[in-house]
């Protein structure tokens, strides 16, 4: 949303934008263990999919993998794009939009709570803890629909790390 603001120092008018903040979430699924759910350490308190804010200059895919490592200790391989969820009321703190991925843990036994998570565990899809915060119940319902063959996943862009063998964020141009 664009609005005009007057600088209190020089009196000049400039445009200011208030846009949704991008986040990345991952439904980490291990067929024999279930899905990873964290108990949030911060407001809003409750249970959630692991995820977090995408940093400036960072791809959504890179942010998703980073957030999984920070919040769960898991090295996650992203397997698809489940959807983009952007309802203005999805996060009570501010307007966010999330890019929701699916993924599988490369090291499922390493699951441990970290960063913003007070607890992390695998749960069967038919026995999820409550209350699920944000719109994570809808994201998990969409994941169940995908498992039942009623919904498909979109492909994901290879991360810059995978393409270029570099670390950090996505880039453009030619890499050697």
């Amino acid at each position: 949303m664009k609005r005009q603001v007057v600088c209190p120092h020089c009196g000049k008018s400039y445009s200011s934008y208030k846009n949704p903040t991008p986040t990345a979430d991952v439904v980490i699924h291990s067929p024999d263990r279930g899905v990873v759910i964290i108990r949030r350490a911060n407001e809003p308190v409750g249970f959630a999919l692991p995820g977090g804010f995408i940093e400036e200059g960072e791809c959504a895919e890179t942010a998703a993998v980073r957030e999984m490592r920070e919040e769960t200790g898991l090295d996650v391989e992203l397997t698809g794009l489940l959807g983009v969820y952007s309802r203005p009321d999805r996060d009570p703190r501010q307007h966010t939009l999330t890019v929701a991925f699916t993924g599988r843990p490369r090291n499922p036994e390493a699951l441990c709570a970290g960063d913003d998570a007070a607890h992390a565990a695998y749960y069967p899809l038919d026995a999820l803890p409550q209350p699920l915060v944000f719109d994570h119940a809808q994201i998990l319902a969409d994941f169940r629909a995908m498992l039942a063959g009623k919904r498909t996943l979109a492909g994901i862009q290879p991360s810059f790390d995978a393409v270029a063998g570099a670390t950090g964020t996505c880039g453009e141009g030619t890499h050697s």
Side-chain angles (χ1 to χ4, degrees):
M1 173 183 291
K2 181 180 175 180
R3 64 185 178 109
Q4 289 301 116
V5 179
V6 175
C7 175
H9 302 289
C10 70
K12 285 186 177 181
S13 179
Y14 64 94
S15 295
S16 174
Y17 296 87
K18 183 130 175 98
N19 299 321
T21 304
T23 66
D25 294 319
V26 180
V27 179
I28 304 171
H29 182 244
S30 176
D32 57 330
R33 298 171 192 245
V35 294
V36 174
I37 301 291
I38 64 162
R39 185 168 33 87
R40 291 179 47 80
N42 303 311
E43 291 291 331
V45 174
F47 295 94
L49 293 166
F53 294 102
I54 299 170
E55 296 176 358
E56 184 176 353
E58 185 176 46
C59 289
E61 294 84 356
T62 303
V65 170
R66 174 185 52 78
E67 285 288 344
M68 296 313 99
R69 210 171 283 127
E70 290 173 4
E71 288 194 356
T72 70
L74 296 174
D75 179 22
V76 172
E77 175 188 356
L78 300 179
T79 56
L81 173 65
L82 185 61
V84 175
Y85 299 80
S86 61
R87 250 189 17 243
D89 64 345
R90 67 174 302 276
D91 185 332
R93 301 168 298 177
Q94 66 184 33
H95 184 183
T96 63
L97 69 84
T98 197
V99 181
F101 296 98
T102 58
R104 69 173 64 93
R106 290 186 171 130
N107 56 339
E109 68 290 338
L111 179 63
C112 65
D115 196 23
D116 297 330
H119 179 74
Y122 291 97
Y123 291 90
L125 278 168
D126 60 356
L128 296 173
Q130 299 296 321
L132 288 168
V133 296
F134 310 121
D135 54 0
H136 291 185
Q138 179 63 56
I139 295 170
L140 286 161
D142 291 346
F143 179 72
R144 279 189 207 91
M146 185 275 305
L147 289 177
K150 298 177 182 173
R151 183 183 177 109
T152 60
L153 293 177
I156 57 172
Q157 160 181 306
S159 72
F160 176 66
D161 299 345
V163 172
T167 59
T169 60
C170 288
E172 295 178 337
T174 305
H175 305 286
S176 52

